Amino acid sequence: MFGVGMQMGGALGNVIDRLTNNGRVTDFISVGNFAVFNVADASITTGVIVLLLGIWIKEKQEQDK
């Protein structure tokens, strides 16, 4: 459930940004030419990764039974 909480927190952060910044999300982390993102985007991405890892581990445990 931790991954879902991170996704929801990131989404809420982006919604708050959009409501308070004329429909824009403030991006402030630049990784070379690859991407520009904010903490909310990083939270959503990390939450998805945690969720997918949890699903993969659970399926692996069920297969081993």
Side-chain angles (χ1 to χ4, degrees):
M1 294 308 282
F2 180 69
V4 174
M6 290 187 73
Q7 291 172 26
M8 294 299 292
L12 182 61
N14 278 337
V15 166
I16 290 170
D17 237 5
R18 287 192 185 278
L19 292 174
T20 59
N21 291 331
N22 297 324
R24 294 187 211 140
V25 174
T26 305
D27 293 326
F28 61 91
I29 300 172
S30 177
V31 184
N33 291 332
F34 175 67
V36 178
F37 58 95
N38 58 24
V39 174
D41 296 339
S43 247
I44 293 169
T45 302
T46 304
V48 168
I49 291 168
V50 167
L51 187 64
L52 290 174
L53 280 172
I55 291 170
W56 180 72
I57 290 169
K58 183 139 178 116
E59 286 181 357
K60 195 81 166 144
Q61 288 173 344
E62 289 176 5
Q63 282 180 350
D64 291 343
K65 286 183 181 181

